[in-house]
Amino acid sequence: MLRAILIAIGVFFSGMMLYSFGASTYAYLTDPAAPTAEEEFHLHPKEVHFSFNGPLGHYDRQQLQRGFQVFKEVCSACHSLKFVAFRDLEQLGYSEAEVKAIAKQWTIKAPDVDPKTGEPSTRDPVPADHFPKPFANNVAAAAANNNAIPPDLSLMAKARHDGPAYIHSLLTGFQSQEGFKNAKGKELLKEFPDSKTPEGLHFNPYFANLNLAMAPPLSAEGQVSYSDGTKATVDQMATDVSAFLMWTAEPKLESRKSTGMAVLFFLLIATGLAYLSYRNIWADKKH
């Protein structure tokens, strides 16, 4: 008797689950959810060529140095690189003396307090230090950035789909919302009149919800003076800093690719040897 009751209860709950699944599927097919402005007008990243693309790609050290310069002079005012140490910059081609000089351009707040003033003491960074945060805490960061906390950029190129292309597209994608159309020719404000960008935010179709607190950081040609003489257009600066942030997210990319190619070569040789061994062993065997 008890077994029959348990079976009935199981059948009842199984039936309810099947009914719920069927009802939900039917509702989705007959009455799909209305598209949102984000779904209709969010753009995928542009196609951008980087030297590290592809299985044989590698970093352009000169470009990485330019990208670091853009980060230092523009991005570091709000964003941090907490997983990158100053000594890591030697991988970009800087000498030990240059790394020490770069580190001294930042200031690190020491954990102790100056006994004379009561203020937190500071010290010059050493190459072993990581890049310090531009704000003391999240409260200070939000207060200085329209209640938005600038994210750390160390791993941003790996945290977003098509990371370097996404960063480049975002940096160059700020535009007026007026008259903006999607690939189907639909105009944003005509299709979604209530989607006007709130005051204090900035329209960017490459951002997930189309509006973000960050103002266009790269706004004019020549904003950075490259030491190698490269013309600092907005597109060039965006490309360079995107490449630099790819390096911060995956500094071992080149060694990973070279190891992968060596492994593939080894597997090809091993496969050929295995096949030849098979033919040799079974050559005089009759089927």
Side-chain angles (χ1 to χ4, degrees):
M1 183 65 180
L2 178 60
R3 179 178 295 181
I5 294 175
L6 294 176
I7 292 175
I9 294 174
V11 170
F12 172 77
F13 280 106
S14 298
M16 291 300 295
M17 291 178 64
L18 288 173
Y19 173 77
S20 299
F21 175 77
S24 300
T25 303
Y26 176 79
Y28 175 79
L29 294 175
T30 57
D31 187 21
T36 63
E38 290 81 1
E39 294 172 340
E40 288 281 299
F41 291 90
H42 173 62
L43 300 182
H44 294 289
K46 308 172 185 176
E47 290 188 10
V48 185
H49 172 73
F50 291 100
S51 62
F52 49 79
N53 288 342
L56 300 178
H58 62 279
Y59 287 125
D60 179 347
R61 262 53 186 183
Q62 199 69 33
Q63 182 180 55
L64 297 184
Q65 289 189 16
R66 293 196 303 267
F68 170 64
Q69 187 177 349
V70 175
F71 171 80
K72 180 178 67 173
E73 297 184 20
V74 180
C75 308
S76 64
C78 299
H79 296 277
S80 58
L81 284 179
K82 64 181 180 182
F83 295 120
V84 182
F86 288 105
R87 63 186 174 191
D88 294 333
L89 296 177
E90 291 185 21
Q91 298 177 33
L92 273 58
Y94 292 107
S95 66
E96 183 178 353
E98 289 174 324
V99 170
K100 290 181 179 179
I102 290 172
K104 288 185 178 181
Q105 297 175 13
W106 270 264
T107 299
I108 289 183
K109 293 183 178 180
D112 51 349
V113 176
D114 188 332
K116 297 181 180 179
T117 64
E119 297 292 330
S121 59
T122 60
R123 64 174 177 83
D124 291 335
V126 296
D129 287 317
H130 287 66
F131 281 82
K133 295 181 179 180
F135 302 101
N137 49 52
N138 287 343
V139 176
N145 292 278
N146 196 25
N147 292 323
I149 301 174
D152 180 81
L153 297 181
S154 305
L155 305 177
M156 187 58 67
K158 299 295 288 184
R160 298 290 184 271
H161 179 63
D162 288 338
Y166 165 79
I167 295 171
H168 175 277
S169 300
L170 189 73
L171 291 174
T172 59
F174 291 91
Q175 56 190 280
S176 172
Q177 194 180 30
E178 299 291 337
F180 176 73
K181 298 179 181 179
N182 63 10
K184 299 178 181 179
K186 296 181 180 179
E187 191 169 331
L188 173 61
L189 294 182
K190 288 184 179 179
E191 296 290 329
F192 299 93
D194 296 332
S195 64
K196 190 172 180 63
T197 299
E199 185 177 354
L201 299 183
H202 305 272
F203 178 70
N204 192 317
Y206 295 98
F207 192 64
N209 66 1
L210 307 181
N211 303 296
L212 71 165
M214 180 178 69
L218 303 176
S219 55
E221 181 177 314
Q223 190 172 343
V224 172
S225 297
Y226 285 138
S227 57
D228 64 356
T230 300
K231 188 176 181 179
T233 63
V234 171
D235 184 79
Q236 182 68 56
M237 290 185 289
T239 303
D240 292 341
V241 76
S242 299
F244 170 71
L245 292 178
M246 182 62 189
W247 171 80
T248 65
E250 196 169 0
K252 302 297 184 182
L253 177 141
E254 291 171 319
S255 60
R256 176 175 62 79
K257 288 185 176 182
S258 60
T259 301
M261 295 302 296
V263 169
L264 287 176
F265 181 73
F266 168 79
L267 291 176
L268 287 174
I269 298 298
T271 301
L273 291 175
Y275 176 73
L276 293 175
S277 298
Y278 162 78
R279 292 295 301 270
N280 184 60
I281 292 171
W282 292 94
D284 58 346
K285 304 298 180 181
K286 294 184 179 180
H287 296 285

